[in-house]
Amino acid sequence: MSTQKNPVEMLMQWAKERPSTPWLFQPVNGAWKSYTWAEAESQVRSMATALKSLGFPAGTAIAISGRNTAHWFFADLAISMAGYVSVGLYPKQSVDAVKYILNHCEAKVVFIGPMPDADDFAKGLPAGILKIGFPYADLGIACDHQWDDLVKKSEPFSGYTPPDPKQLATLVYTSGTTGNPKGVMITGENMAFATMGLMKTMPAVGTEKFFSYLPLAHMFERGALELASIYLGAQVYFNENIEKLAEQLKEVAPTRFFGVPLVYSRIQGGVLRKLPQEKLERLLKIPLLSSFIKKKIKTGAGLQNVRYMFVGAAPMPMPLMKWFEKLGLTVLQGYGMTENSIYATANLPKANRFGSVGRAMPGADMRISEEGEIQYKHAGVMAGYYKEPEKTVETFTADGWLRTGDKGRVDAEGYLYITGRVKDIFKTLKGKYVAPAPIEGSLARNTDIDQMCFVGTGLTQPIMTVTLTPEAQKKSRGDVEAGLIADMKVVNETLEPHEEIAKCLILKESWTIDNGMMTPTMKVKRNEVEKRFLPLIEKHAQNRDKIGWE
């Protein structure tokens, strides 16, 4: 048995050692409501009693919905304290996915949090599931019980016995770019191993302050933020809604910031709206002004206190990384997947190599197979897929290594470079295979591109479908086309003839979670892009123009 404390025990420890120290900061009507460690423990203990009183057997699945809130954390810990298994649901998850997940894990209870799509979400709820409403005004779903009422009438849970670390702690459903979501079984041991490794490589310096806005249903936010805050004793501020992200990020000024490439390009866009690139470059060349400008930009974005800035979920374009670097902000790229508790590789402030996803984390045994696939074997690797033994077997090698489905190479110093997806490779009509990821990464040199997806199934020559940044949409078509043609020429010179980009097809509408073009973790659904734009792609494939417009 492990001697490492689990998250519930850590909460109890902080409540004893720092009862009146604030831990969580929840925005309510423009003001921050704080919860101390002792208040958090009290909420968690009473809710654990309330859940136990419902009479469900140990190990029952209990779901948590809505955007990130203090009560998301409380519910997760109360579920664990009561001996149940938590299941996170994404905001803006499709009705079919909600229905599938809740039926698949046989959830008996769902915590209802504030969300932008309450009407759709309600359609996915199975008949008979108990709904417990978090204490927020804008839920939009009628609930069987209210959080505050249950907490008020329930005695604090006592006599907590830590479970076996190898026991199932949470089910994390992968957002899935294809097919039904898969329930990744994460044990207490998986979480403890990954969190301990994170603390070793990134120890706390003074009071750490986090800003929580990426979905808690995803293992990244759960591990790097929720669990890290519990183990490090760090403060957490929650984003009220996505429209307030820039404003609240500035207000909070966290010591660690995590984002996906899209968030970083939005921060860049916000800066360039006030200070155009040409003017910025001019000012940064003036020695006396340069440090003042950098400081002003960092403070304006809320990034002046950041010690670690991480990007994940998708590769970040090199020009964007270099743009932040010029401002004295190093964006560190990491790599991991739900199946290995997001514990794989990371660049660190004193060990950072642009273009790579860093070196293996402590104890994260990694190898590259003969086919070039990245594989892992360590204590953070999942127990398997829930109720899917065949898929579990497929995901592991005969000697027990986790197949990531990603291809990569490791340099002489141990830095890992992702070179594509094993399954993303497509075949053109020439019968030749093309790996899209590296080509997309190369064309990301063009700063007018917001999102892109390289497609070629059923085509003689592949086409790059792109959407433009808000700034690029204001430019003349001629300027946009000239930039894209020049960058395509540079990229094509490095490619085999069958891989070359035949043209860029510029699409009007941005790809979002709402319109089904992105997963809740902001990955582009390649199959959706191909399916939705196939007639347009085929039509444009018939002419020789280098640029096509929707």
Side-chain angles (χ1 to χ4, degrees):
M1 291 283 280
S2 163
T3 53
Q4 174 55 50
K5 287 185 173 173
N6 67 34
V8 170
E9 291 172 295
M10 285 306 302
L11 170 68
M12 284 152 59
Q13 179 184 313
W14 293 127
K16 203 173 177 178
E17 290 176 14
R18 318 175 170 177
S20 53
T21 302
W23 172 33
L24 305 178
F25 294 79
Q26 177 64 45
V28 180
N29 301 327
W32 296 101
K33 176 176 169 50
S34 68
Y35 292 92
T36 65
W37 288 101
E39 285 166 342
E41 186 199 36
S42 168
Q43 295 267 339
V44 168
R45 282 189 184 274
S46 292
M47 184 48 69
T49 299
L51 290 175
K52 284 288 273 186
S53 72
L54 297 170
F56 297 116
T60 295
I62 294 181
I64 314 171
S65 72
R67 63 173 178 261
N68 301 10
T69 57
H71 289 79
W72 214 110
F73 279 27
F74 297 158
D76 196 21
L77 289 158
I79 291 164
S80 182
M81 186 181 264
Y84 298 127
V85 173
S86 62
V87 182
L89 294 164
Y90 289 97
K92 296 192 175 180
Q93 195 144 26
S94 72
V95 176
D96 288 345
V98 171
K99 203 175 283 180
Y100 176 82
I101 291 167
L102 293 175
N103 283 316
H104 186 257
C105 70
E106 299 173 58
K108 297 290 183 268
V109 182
V110 59
F111 284 100
I112 305 289
M115 62 183 85
D117 55 342
D119 291 348
D120 283 341
F121 183 81
K123 290 174 195 160
L125 297 177
I129 194 166
L130 269 178
K131 298 179 285 295
I132 300 175
F134 284 161
Y136 300 96
D138 51 349
L139 296 186
I141 292 175
C143 295
D144 305 292
H145 301 281
Q146 293 302 320
W147 177 281
D148 285 350
D149 295 344
L150 287 177
V151 164
K152 211 174 282 176
K153 67 182 187 196
S154 303
E155 287 294 314
F157 190 83
S158 59
Y160 171 70
T161 310
D164 183 325
K166 292 195 184 297
Q167 209 169 294
L168 179 62
T170 188
L171 283 173
V172 181
Y173 278 83
T174 59
S175 48
T177 48
T178 56
N180 283 324
K182 295 192 288 284
V184 176
M185 298 195 282
I186 300 290
T187 66
E189 183 181 44
N190 294 156
M191 293 197 292
F193 173 80
T195 310
M196 288 303 101
L198 185 79
M199 286 171 69
K200 254 180 238 161
T201 45
M202 289 165 257
V205 180
T207 302
E208 294 278 359
K209 197 192 273 190
F210 295 171
F211 182 56
S212 178
Y213 71 98
L214 293 170
L216 275 163
H218 190 258
M219 200 61 212
F220 183 74
E221 187 82 350
R222 203 83 162 275
L225 213 133
E226 181 188 355
L227 292 175
S229 81
I230 293 169
Y231 281 89
L232 294 169
Q235 296 181 343
V236 180
Y237 288 74
F238 295 93
N239 176 223
E240 193 165 356
N241 58 54
I242 212 73
E243 287 74 37
K244 287 191 172 182
L245 194 138
E247 174 197 325
Q248 290 186 324
L249 175 58
K250 186 180 173 180
E251 220 176 302
V252 174
T255 59
R256 299 181 184 203
F257 183 70
F258 308 99
V260 293
L262 208 56
V263 168
Y264 286 105
S265 67
R266 294 287 188 265
I267 292 172
Q268 179 194 42
V271 171
L272 296 180
R273 269 195 295 279
K274 293 175 185 166
L275 191 60
Q277 186 64 37
E278 298 75 19
K279 191 177 179 184
L280 173 62
E281 279 174 17
R282 216 167 46 242
L283 294 171
L284 289 177
K285 282 175 188 155
I286 304 167
L288 289 171
L289 263 182
S290 179
S291 58
F292 170 75
I293 290 294
K294 287 178 188 175
K295 191 178 174 186
K296 195 170 167 56
I297 289 172
K298 285 183 199 175
T299 308
L303 299 172
Q304 70 272 30
N305 299 328
V306 165
R307 282 192 287 274
Y308 298 104
M309 266 175 87
F310 273 98
V311 64
M316 181 149 162
M318 195 61 70
L320 188 56
M321 288 190 122
K322 288 183 175 165
W323 186 87
F324 276 99
E325 192 69 23
K326 277 184 188 166
L327 298 175
L329 291 166
T330 301
V331 182
L332 301 161
Q333 193 144 268
Y335 168 68
M337 56 196 294
T338 306
E339 286 84 345
N340 60 19
S341 303
I342 317 291
Y343 193 77
T345 64
N347 278 296
L348 295 166
K350 290 180 180 161
N352 182 32
R353 189 153 295 180
F354 277 145
S356 83
V357 289
R359 294 199 274 210
M361 295 284 275
D365 292 336
M366 174 179 80
R367 73 181 186 188
I368 308 288
S369 74
E370 281 178 20
E371 300 75 39
E373 184 182 40
I374 308 159
Q375 299 176 350
Y376 286 92
K377 195 179 197 179
H378 59 66
V381 171
M382 66 169 182
Y385 292 121
Y386 190 57
K387 293 184 183 172
E388 300 202 60
E390 296 84 6
K391 279 187 181 156
T392 301
V393 170
E394 279 169 29
T395 309
F396 286 91
T397 62
D399 57 347
W401 288 69
L402 174 76
R403 300 175 190 269
T404 62
D406 290 311
K407 285 189 153 191
R409 64 178 177 85
V410 177
D411 70 12
E413 277 81 46
Y415 287 89
L416 175 68
Y417 294 78
I418 309 285
T419 56
R421 285 284 296 161
V422 174
K423 288 179 187 164
D424 257 358
I425 295 171
F426 58 76
K427 194 194 271 189
T428 64
L429 286 179
K430 292 177 181 172
K432 298 273 187 112
Y433 286 102
V434 177
I439 301 167
E440 290 164 351
S442 299
L443 193 64
R445 59 187 285 123
N446 185 292
T447 52
D448 286 341
I449 296 173
D450 193 28
Q451 298 155 299
M452 67 181 119
C453 182
F454 200 36
V455 296
T457 308
L459 302 178
T460 308
Q461 197 68 27
I463 285 176
M464 189 71 80
T465 57
V466 305
T467 66
L468 300 176
T469 64
E471 288 69 36
Q473 287 169 22
K474 293 171 194 158
K475 288 186 177 182
S476 73
R477 278 196 173 192
D479 285 351
V480 171
E481 289 187 8
L484 282 170
I485 290 167
D487 286 325
M488 271 164 62
K489 188 172 184 292
V490 172
V491 173
N492 280 343
E493 281 166 4
T494 67
L495 301 174
E496 295 289 324
H498 71 276
E499 297 175 314
E500 286 179 11
I501 307 165
K503 69 167 63 194
C504 278
L505 175 56
I506 300 167
L507 304 170
K508 287 179 192 165
E509 192 185 5
S510 277
W511 305 330
T512 64
I513 301 164
D514 284 350
N515 62 21
M517 304 303 285
M518 294 184 97
T519 71
T521 51
M522 294 176 150
K523 290 190 185 89
V524 173
K525 294 183 177 179
R526 193 176 299 279
N527 61 327
E528 275 299 317
V529 172
E530 286 188 325
K531 193 166 75 185
R532 196 169 299 189
F533 298 106
L534 187 65
L536 192 66
I537 291 164
E538 286 176 340
K539 181 182 145 196
H540 280 276
Q542 289 162 16
N543 64 54
R544 291 178 170 270
D545 301 338
K546 285 287 177 196
I547 306 290
W549 296 78
E550 186 182 359

